[in-house]
Amino acid sequence: MTIVVDIALISGKTVTVEAALDDEVDALKRRAQTALGVGKGRLLDSSGTVLDGRATMKKAKLQNGDCLTLHMSRVQACGSNAAFAVILGDGSVVTWGKDVGRCAMQEQLKNVHQIQATDSAFAAILGDGSVATWGSAAAGGDSSWVQDQLKNVQEIQASDGAFAAILGNRSVVTWGDALRGGDSDAVQNQLKNVQQIQATDGAFAAILADGSVVTWGHAVYGGDSSAVQNQLQNVHHIQATNFAFAAMLCDGSVVTWGCASYGGNSTTVQSQLTDVQQIQATCWAFAAILCDGSVVTWGCGGNGGDSSAVQEQLSNVQRIQATEGAFAAILGDGSVVTWGDDSRGGDSYAVQNELKHVQQIQATDGAFAALLSDGSIVTWGSASSGGDSSHVQDQLKDVQQIQATGSAFAAILGNAAAVSWTDHDLISSAVQEQLKNVQDIQATAGAFAAILSDGTIVPWGPAFYGGYMSEAVQDQLKTCCEWDAPALKRQPTWDGASANVAPPSISCNDCNDAELDGGVTALTETPI
């Protein structure tokens, strides 16, 4: 016996689907996704309850004429150093890149709400507040020893090698490399009423509800704040370099700790650190914007900690961006002042006349890209880090958004196309025709992944950093053809080395014109 149900998107677009009572709900959903031309989503009944995809139509108590909703969450991507994890529209996850080691987690990764990453591991918060982890066990990919504690998780923060989860009762659970913050036993009884957590490469700092701070992890990375503990009162925000913390107090003063050469010692400028509004950091130094628009810097002088050469120009500063070793400040008139390591963007002399009406600045490890009010881009810094955009300059018009890896930039244009650049071949030319209707771009240390409006994911860049999807990953991303596998058009095999063959991307539209099995009977547009 078969029944017919209507399945609609939130937009009102509706499809009528026929299915047998012994068909699984997932089969019904896949047919609807195919006909609607969309990616993965969740099927909701008329009361808003998510239907179990593995249940049969009969067990789900679906009846002839029922009206269901296909709810699609926004596709989200997260990058570790060399791998991507993407939350699809139905809350499932697909990963690719170096050493993701996710196979054993496949069944757990359902209804995922958020993903966080260390250098080589991922942690996902599921809909029921539990956590699933994968990747390098040493860097937090194995949470088995704290799994029974990971309940009602609200938020996860990460150092390079460990995770810290804030639970619903505002306590904290940690795991991963003990020397990088994975072991919080020594301060566990203090971790109550935690409001937010910040991390260096190897330590954590938690702000409590009363404005005090608790730290743990390696002392060299800022895990020991005992020397300034009595000063850490009424803290409302913490910023970090690789090895040091800077806490902003409610009265506008600043307290620092950690490795002195990385900004952990601010005694030479302490009297100037009053009425601080914002703090930015390179890997080695801090820069604080005061309420009068001036700037105070400290830390490693050659990497942004010494701004004396441009101090007179640093007035009416609105925002500051940083590479690994240099700062760029946007002034109230839209001009830019830079300082720090010249080879990492600290010297903008060659483009200074072009830096007018700057709206925002993005940074790689060693270069800056400024977005001007007319939608054009100005770049400077290390050419090997994207500081030279001359070969794509004629394409960089009507830019809406900029994203960066450690050594390359990617821009989303007004027509939703994407352009990327660096001094080495990112293979973006091979996927250029696919980079249309781009909604968002995420990055690892060396590769990009574009999320298109239809849920398609297009990666590019070195395979080592996640710029390549294997056929196994493609199979996971078949959002509509699992019930009719021959309909999927295979992408050409790509070895990650040739710039002449595009790395594969996946889109349900590949099979929209395929002959269906008679399950879809009508497609209509319903006004919102």
Side-chain angles (χ1 to χ4, degrees):
M1 179 180 174
T2 61
I3 62 172
V4 175
V5 297
D6 290 333
I7 300 177
L9 298 175
I10 294 176
S11 66
K13 188 176 182 180
T14 303
V15 63
T16 300
V17 182
E18 181 179 305
L21 285 176
D22 58 356
D23 283 349
E24 288 190 350
V25 170
D26 271 346
L28 176 74
K29 181 177 68 173
R30 288 192 292 267
R31 293 172 186 176
Q33 288 167 176
T34 301
L36 291 166
V38 296
K40 288 187 174 182
R42 300 180 182 92
L43 270 184
L44 312 181
D45 64 18
S46 57
S47 65
T49 301
V50 178
L51 297 174
D52 181 357
R54 292 186 174 181
T56 63
M57 301 282 287
K58 184 176 181 179
K59 187 174 181 180
K61 298 182 180 179
L62 294 179
Q63 300 178 14
N64 203 50
D66 279 351
C67 295
L68 309 178
T69 300
L70 181 61
H71 179 265
M72 298 172 57
S73 299
R74 181 174 176 269
V75 176
Q76 302 175 60
C78 175
S80 65
N81 185 59
F84 285 104
V86 175
I87 306 175
L88 303 180
D90 65 348
S92 63
V93 172
V94 63
T95 64
W96 69 93
K98 184 176 180 290
D99 299 330
V100 291
R102 189 187 63 83
C103 295
M105 302 305 304
Q106 180 69 36
E107 290 304 311
Q108 296 182 46
L109 292 172
K110 309 287 186 183
N111 196 20
V112 175
H113 285 195
Q114 177 193 334
I115 296 179
Q116 183 61 272
T118 62
D119 265 3
S120 53
F122 291 96
I125 302 177
L126 310 187
D128 62 1
S130 63
V131 171
T133 58
W134 66 97
S136 168
D142 179 6
S143 58
S144 57
W145 57 289
V146 294
Q147 200 62 49
D148 60 341
Q149 303 173 50
L150 291 171
K151 299 175 181 178
N152 196 19
V153 175
Q154 305 296 301
E155 179 185 340
I156 296 178
Q157 183 60 270
S159 68
D160 272 4
F163 292 105
I166 301 177
L167 309 187
N169 63 3
R170 312 314 293 180
S171 63
V172 172
V173 177
T174 59
W175 67 98
D177 186 346
L179 295 178
R180 292 178 182 263
D183 181 0
S184 57
D185 284 352
V187 296
Q188 196 60 49
N189 62 350
Q190 302 174 50
L191 290 171
K192 300 174 182 178
N193 298 316
V194 174
Q195 304 301 297
Q196 58 178 281
I197 297 177
Q198 180 59 275
T200 60
D201 283 359
F204 292 100
I207 303 176
L208 308 189
D210 63 1
S212 62
V213 172
V214 178
T215 58
W216 68 98
H218 202 298
V220 171
Y221 291 96
D224 180 4
S225 57
S226 57
V228 295
Q229 199 62 48
N230 63 342
Q231 302 174 49
L232 291 171
Q233 307 295 327
N234 299 314
V235 175
H236 74 89
H237 181 68
I238 296 177
Q239 182 60 275
T241 62
N242 284 7
F243 285 77
F245 291 104
M248 291 174 55
L249 309 191
C250 292
D251 64 0
S253 62
V254 173
V255 177
T256 59
W257 69 98
C259 183
S261 59
Y262 282 75
N265 186 346
S266 57
T267 54
T268 58
V269 296
Q270 199 62 49
S271 61
Q272 303 173 52
L273 291 171
T274 58
D275 296 322
V276 174
Q277 304 297 300
Q278 180 189 143
I279 298 178
Q280 181 59 274
T282 65
C283 290
W284 299 72
F286 292 104
I289 303 176
L290 309 188
C291 65
D292 64 0
S294 62
V295 172
V296 177
T297 58
W298 69 98
C300 178
N303 287 278
D306 180 4
S307 56
S308 57
V310 295
Q311 200 64 47
E312 292 184 358
Q313 303 172 51
L314 290 172
S315 60
N316 196 20
V317 174
Q318 305 297 302
R319 294 185 302 281
I320 296 177
Q321 181 59 275
T323 62
E324 281 193 342
F327 290 107
I330 303 176
L331 309 189
D333 63 0
S335 61
V336 173
V337 176
T338 60
W339 69 97
D341 186 344
D342 289 352
S343 67
R344 290 176 172 166
D347 180 5
S348 57
Y349 179 79
V351 295
Q352 198 60 50
N353 289 337
E354 302 173 55
L355 290 172
K356 299 175 181 178
H357 308 297
V358 174
Q359 303 297 298
Q360 67 179 65
I361 296 176
Q362 182 60 274
T364 60
D365 288 349
F368 292 104
L371 175 59
L372 309 190
S373 60
D374 64 0
S376 62
I377 296 288
V378 176
T379 57
W380 70 98
S382 171
S384 62
S385 294
D388 180 5
S389 57
S390 58
H391 57 297
V392 295
Q393 201 63 46
D394 60 338
Q395 302 174 54
L396 293 173
K397 299 173 182 177
D398 195 21
V399 174
Q400 305 296 304
Q401 178 187 332
I402 308 172
Q403 181 57 274
T405 68
S407 59
F409 291 104
I412 300 177
L413 310 184
N415 63 1
V419 177
S420 61
W421 67 96
T422 185
D423 77 328
H424 58 274
D425 191 0
L426 259 185
I427 333 259
S428 60
S429 58
V431 299
Q432 200 63 56
E433 287 303 308
Q434 301 173 49
L435 292 174
K436 298 175 181 178
N437 299 314
V438 177
Q439 301 297 299
D440 189 26
I441 296 176
Q442 289 297 325
T444 62
F448 293 108
I451 300 171
L452 309 191
S453 59
D454 63 357
T456 302
I457 301 167
V458 181
W460 73 98
F464 178 84
Y465 287 109
Y468 164 68
M469 279 185 187
S470 68
E471 286 194 0
V473 175
Q474 294 179 57
D475 289 341
Q476 295 172 41
L477 280 170
K478 291 177 192 174
T479 59
C480 61
C481 299
E482 295 158 350
W483 56 280
D484 189 14
L488 181 68
K489 297 177 182 177
R490 278 284 179 186
Q491 294 285 341
T493 301
W494 183 63
D495 61 9
S498 172
N500 298 318
V501 181
S505 66
I506 296 297
S507 170
C508 292
N509 291 333
D510 285 342
C511 57
N512 282 347
D513 297 328
E515 183 177 351
L516 304 179
D517 64 355
V520 179
T521 58
L523 179 64
T524 61
E525 289 281 357
T526 304
I528 298 174

